[in-house]
Amino acid sequence: MDQRIINLFDEYTHKPLKRDDFLKRLAKLTGSMAAAMTVLPLLEVNYAQAATVAHTDDRIKTESITYPGADTTMKGYLARPAAPGKYPAVVVIHENRGLNPHIEDVTRRMALAGFVALAPDALSAAGGTPTDETQMRELFGKLDATATRNNFVKAVEYLKTQANSTGKVGCVGFCWGGAMANQLAIHAPDLKAAVPFYGRQPDAADVPKMKAAVQLHYGGLDERVNAGIPAYEAALKAAGIPYELYIYEGAQHAFNNDTAPTRYNEAAAKLAWERTTKFLKEKLV
């Protein structure tokens, strides 16, 4: 697909670009509104493909939970191995599409890899993630950055005290959640490891405050996010923060999301996941 189309969709999903304006610009790139509407399903996520690990998989246990946030009662999706025992814990942080079937599936994958995994819903105070995309975008635009970050810090504290948790907690986040994972590495004192996927980098001045090791994953074609890599890496080196950085050539932003057909990159996603689970197991001992 034309990279200009993918870049436009990336702009639509990350900036305050109205749907009508997005469709008009898409029509210009594709040649007509009819062509734009044909391309659109290839760009938008398809949650019918979301379940790679079934809700009924007897190797894991899942439940919807609440936990005390900083300023509200937070909703979340919890998954853990079915076998008795204590396991390291991971906060799974969603994209700017909220807690949806894809992120629930990622949480189950994390449980299957041997972690107690919690995916909080950033939109809990508004009643949870809505199915209407326009409403969801509006709610994300109204989030208070500090309060939202603190609600995710509370997720780390919650997992640290759970009976099935070893008390060692990491996080993994995607897109918006990747940026949040970077913030938790700075602001969650009990966090041991953070794995941001194609997330906006923190201010270089905040990097020396990090207590967690980080593993960073970026798509090679993701020019918008990748522009911040050099300054971030320089700050990590200067502060002596343990880190790993991987750039997957030919991969788009959101390359791990297998419900986004034009951006999903199976090879990159598989390799990044192997690296992620290995890193978390090493750091959460």
Side-chain angles (χ1 to χ4, degrees):
M1 182 174 290
D2 189 329
Q3 187 65 39
R4 294 175 300 169
I5 293 175
I6 295 176
N7 290 345
L8 174 62
F9 186 71
D10 187 46
E11 180 182 350
Y12 168 60
T13 56
H14 292 89
K15 296 182 179 179
L17 181 63
K18 293 181 179 179
R19 188 171 181 82
D20 286 349
D21 293 334
F22 161 68
L23 290 174
K24 288 176 183 177
R25 290 173 58 180
L26 182 60
K28 288 183 179 180
L29 288 174
T30 58
S32 69
M33 185 57 73
M37 298 311 292
T38 300
V39 167
L40 189 60
L42 302 178
L43 294 168
E44 295 185 318
V45 296
N46 180 1
Y47 292 138
Q49 303 175 17
T52 66
V53 179
H55 294 271
T56 55
D57 193 310
D58 61 8
R59 295 171 294 176
I60 61 173
K61 292 185 179 296
T62 65
E63 59 181 317
S64 296
I65 60 102
T66 60
Y67 70 90
D71 65 348
T72 190
T73 297
M74 291 291 292
K75 297 181 177 183
Y77 183 76
L78 185 72
R80 61 176 176 83
K86 289 183 176 289
Y87 300 91
V90 177
V91 181
V92 179
I93 313 174
H94 56 65
E95 302 167 314
N96 61 351
R97 299 178 181 278
L99 180 52
N100 56 41
H102 167 63
I103 292 299
E104 290 182 352
D105 188 65
V106 172
T107 308
R108 294 192 295 273
R109 297 176 207 175
M110 194 60 71
L112 206 57
F115 300 93
V116 178
L118 170 62
D121 189 340
L123 300 178
S124 293
T129 298
T131 56
D132 180 81
E133 185 171 315
T134 300
Q135 182 186 6
M136 178 177 59
R137 286 164 57 84
E138 290 174 353
L139 290 173
F140 264 95
K142 296 176 182 178
L143 286 176
D144 178 84
T146 300
T148 302
R149 182 193 70 212
N150 290 341
N151 286 331
F152 279 88
V153 171
K154 289 292 186 180
V156 176
E157 297 175 5
Y158 175 82
L159 283 176
K160 193 171 186 290
T161 63
Q162 292 308 291
N164 295 307
S165 165
T166 61
K168 307 294 185 181
V169 185
C171 71
V172 59
F174 306 90
C175 184
W176 181 93
M180 182 61 71
N182 279 318
Q183 290 300 314
L184 290 190
I186 296 167
H187 295 281
D190 293 325
L191 192 77
K192 303 298 182 185
V195 184
F197 276 65
Y198 30 83
R200 181 169 52 85
Q201 300 81 6
D203 291 338
D206 288 334
V207 171
K209 303 173 188 175
M210 283 185 169
K211 301 295 190 294
V214 293
Q215 185 184 73
L216 312 169
H217 300 276
Y218 298 101
L221 299 177
D222 190 4
E223 296 179 1
R224 177 183 60 85
V225 172
N226 293 358
I229 293 175
Y232 189 19
E233 184 171 24
L236 289 166
K237 287 181 177 179
I241 306 299
Y243 79 97
E244 297 175 11
L245 191 157
Y246 300 103
I247 299 176
Y248 301 85
E249 296 304 327
Q252 302 281 355
H253 183 82
F255 68 80
N256 188 69
N257 190 335
D258 50 5
T259 67
T262 58
R263 296 183 290 171
Y264 176 57
N265 185 308
E266 183 178 4
K270 181 179 179 180
L271 179 56
W273 186 254
E274 291 173 351
R275 287 169 168 167
T276 295
T277 53
K278 180 175 183 288
F279 180 78
L280 290 170
K281 287 176 180 179
E282 290 174 349
K283 299 302 179 183
L284 303 182
V285 294

